[in-house]
Amino acid sequence: MVADLVEWGALERTPTGLRLGMRLFELGHLVPAQRGLRDLALPYLEDLYETTHQTVNLAVRHGNEIVYVEKLVSRGRLVPHSRTGGRLPLHCTALGKAILAFSPPHVVDEVIAAGLRPITSKSITDAARLLSDLAAIRERRVAFDVEESRLGMFCAASPLVNAKRVPVGALSITGMDSMSTARRFAPAVLTAALSLSRRLDA
């Protein structure tokens, strides 16, 4: 099976073993929904990056996790725990909480029922605390990751919501080393997300 996958291009041999091949990369970029959202979002991500000089992310929900669809990396601020195509639990990220806050109640219930597994000692593991956080996010339309996905790292995110009030993803800036910096850049994230949301049904 491995030999067949190597021949097809799904896997590549390296001196130390195997790695994913270029064929999988090509297939991943053919997924219509994610490609369309990424293409639409890219100018907003680039503007957000130029405004903040922080790492900028676009993510969508898949089950009880977020999947990173695009990531523009700040040279001086590495964010090693996330990558394009990578996944993290919804409840442990600003991106995920921004999406959850505007999702139907049954989605939130499913996340809670699956168990709020922590990534760091700061991750939310209590249902009441998560519900309180989501209520605050709905009010301000900005979510924060306060060292919940990686210690020493802060993030601000805002949801992408279409005309039917359905969240289709979220934008974020991440890699900041203080909550005060995250709060300072939150308006830029919110502005970008609101502008992109208005384009979703255009």
Side-chain angles (χ1 to χ4, degrees):
M1 183 181 291
V2 169
D4 289 342
L5 290 172
V6 169
E7 183 178 354
W8 185 68
L11 295 175
E12 295 176 358
R13 295 191 185 278
T14 72
T16 57
L18 294 165
R19 66 184 179 192
L20 297 179
M22 186 60 69
R23 187 63 66 99
L24 291 182
F25 176 80
E26 293 170 358
L27 287 176
H29 281 74
L30 293 176
V31 179
Q34 291 159 355
R35 188 187 67 216
L37 178 60
R38 177 195 173 277
D39 290 348
L40 188 63
L42 198 54
Y44 297 88
L45 296 173
E46 291 170 344
D47 286 347
L48 190 56
Y49 176 83
E50 290 300 326
T51 299
T52 65
H53 300 291
Q54 304 287 329
T55 294
V56 178
N57 300 300
L58 169 68
V60 297
R61 171 180 165 254
H62 188 261
N64 292 341
E65 298 176 310
I66 58 164
V67 177
Y68 290 87
V69 176
E70 185 58 86
K71 179 176 180 178
L72 305 182
V73 181
S74 173
R75 292 178 182 175
R77 299 179 186 274
L78 295 178
V79 186
H81 68 301
S82 67
R83 60 177 175 79
T84 302
R87 295 169 175 264
L88 284 174
L90 286 165
H91 69 283
C92 291
T93 63
L95 287 159
K97 291 189 295 180
I99 294 170
L100 265 183
F102 290 86
S103 295
H106 73 85
V107 174
V108 180
D109 292 341
E110 288 170 8
V111 170
I112 293 172
L116 303 177
R117 180 180 60 84
I119 294 180
T120 75
S121 58
K122 301 290 185 72
S123 300
I124 295 176
T125 58
D126 177 72
R129 183 182 163 204
L130 177 63
L131 292 172
S132 176
D133 200 2
L134 297 181
I137 293 165
R138 280 190 291 273
E139 286 289 324
R140 63 179 179 247
R141 212 179 172 98
V142 174
F144 293 102
D145 174 344
V146 187
E147 300 183 281
E148 295 157 56
S149 61
R150 188 175 181 87
L151 293 176
M153 198 166 288
F154 299 80
C155 176
S158 189
L160 301 174
V161 181
N162 65 21
K164 296 179 180 178
R165 303 290 293 170
V166 175
V168 300
L171 301 179
S172 77
I173 53 172
T174 191
M176 295 164 286
D177 56 10
S178 72
M179 187 61 177
S180 61
T181 306
R183 291 191 185 281
R184 179 158 58 91
F185 286 129
V189 179
L190 175 59
T191 298
L194 287 172
S195 298
L196 178 53
S197 292
R198 285 192 286 269
R199 290 285 314 282
L200 293 175
D201 298 292

